[in-house]
Amino acid sequence: MAEKRLTVNQNEVPIYDIVFEDSFLPLKEELLKLHSENRKICIITETRVAPLYLEEVKKAIEPACKTVCSFLFEAGEENKNLDTVSDLYEFLIQNQFDRKDLLLALGGGVTGDLTGFGAATYLRGIDFIQVPTTLLAQVDSSIGGKTGVDFRAYKNMVGAFHMPKLVYMNMEVLKTLPEREFNCGLGEIIKHGLIKDKAYLDYIEEQKEEIKNKNPEVLKELIYGSCVIKKGVVERDPKEQGERAMLNFGHTLGHAIEKKMNFELLHGECVALGCMAALFISCKMGNISKEECEKYCSLIRWFGYPSLPRDISAREIVAITKLDKKMEHGVVKFIVLKELGEAQIVKTVTDDMMEEAILTLIS
Ligand code: GLY
């Protein structure tokens, strides 16, 4: 049975809690634990999430702080950039936010990354909390303090590590989450199983019907399970000196596909495609069997991700991987499976292997 709280520690010191609830109301008590009563809070959210949850969250937290205001930006990855951050700085200055005040990210990965970056840099760093409203943000991007924005064509190229003071999840938000967004989170969840925990992967396989039907109890177990995995990784390697890089499984080709498709596919969809490609490459390297590769590619496909169009150039996607920040001395650091439930970094994946893997993703 999933618990209602996890604590992320650093060197055995508690840093922040991840809280699992079924409404926004207990957010007030969580904020008071952060001594919010004399602090201003700015809720940062985007145009798709605001009509759904902004007023509800405002109402829930008003009794717990000095004042609440909100900063709204246009939804979409294309707005995760320095222009939006500049607008945010301007807004915070106009509203006289100081170092004691607090930012609250209400939304998915774009909102969390952008708010976190604003918090890391405004007045050389102020506190922020994550209130993720997508499955992907709940299981992945809201945890671990990676913040940042895209710079021109380069994804997440400008950023900082800045830990949130709280990650607060209201599980009810999943009820309004569009199907494609839901699948984006599942891609990251399957990734967690592939790279870290074979038993968790078996659980996903066993429960796939319930997951597709969005059985709330199964989803809670799943989100909790993924948060346990992510928490463990970021506690052991907060600044990606080693183990944390394994979370980039599926991301090298995933990011390149995302760019090549002009962001028409969502980030999590591209990661799911990237995971299938990475499974194929792991199989080619002899690390997993053909049956294992087929089994987990089928599992990913079963949840219903788009394929790549027939006329896409695999070679151009490979060329884009060279612009990725996961390069070291001009060589792509590629994450493959060493076996199911364990990943490793290799620098021996050739362009031909990547091209062959991309071709398997074309419909
Ligand atoms: N999303 C990958 C990481 O947090 O390291």
Side-chain angles (χ1 to χ4, degrees), residues 273 276-277 280 297 301 307 355-363:
L273 293 174
M276 286 193 261
F280 179 86
C297 283
R301 270 200 201 94
S307 311
E355 270 189 44
E356 205 186 337
I358 293 162
L359 293 176
T360 68
L361 306 174
I362 293 175
S363 53

Side-chain angles (χ1 to χ4, degrees), residues 41-195:
I41 298 187
C42 178
I43 302 174
I44 292 142
T45 192
E46 39 93 323
T47 44
R48 273 178 321 203
V49 173
L52 296 170
Y53 302 119
L54 179 57
E55 282 316 307
E56 201 180 331
V57 172
K58 244 187 194 165
K59 223 165 149 195
I61 68 173
E62 252 157 10
C65 55
K66 200 158 112 188
T67 56
V68 186
C69 59
S70 53
F71 173 83
L72 202 68
F73 66 98
E74 195 64 42
E77 179 79 30
E78 62 276 24
N79 299 308
K80 193 176 111 172
N81 57 35
L82 292 171
D83 290 339
T84 311
V85 176
S86 296
D87 292 345
L88 173 62
Y89 294 149
E90 183 81 39
F91 181 86
L92 296 174
I93 293 165
Q94 276 167 2
N95 285 276
Q96 296 168 348
F97 267 64
D98 67 33
R99 229 181 243 153
K100 298 252 159 45
D101 295 325
L102 194 58
L103 308 187
L104 183 154
L106 175 67
V110 168
T111 306
D113 286 6
L114 185 133
T115 303
F117 184 65
T121 48
Y122 182 69
L123 298 176
R124 299 200 182 89
I126 66 171
D127 290 348
F128 83 115
I129 72 171
Q130 292 270 20
V131 183
T133 59
T134 63
L135 184 59
L136 185 142
Q138 289 179 341
V139 297
D140 187 55
S141 59
S142 67
I143 303 164
K146 266 193 187 175
T147 77
V149 291
D150 304 334
F151 178 70
R152 300 193 177 142
Y154 305 98
K155 222 179 128 59
N156 295 333
M157 200 45 104
V158 178
F161 285 101
H162 188 57
M163 299 303 152
K165 291 290 168 195
L166 169 72
V167 179
Y168 182 97
M169 300 178 199
N170 170 8
M171 299 296 177
E172 286 292 298
V173 298
L174 295 178
K175 291 189 175 152
T176 60
L177 194 65
E179 199 68 20
R180 277 182 74 187
E181 293 278 357
F182 182 77
N183 287 347
C184 285
L186 281 183
E188 297 282 354
I189 288 171
I190 296 170
K191 179 198 80 179
H192 285 150
L194 287 170
I195 63 168

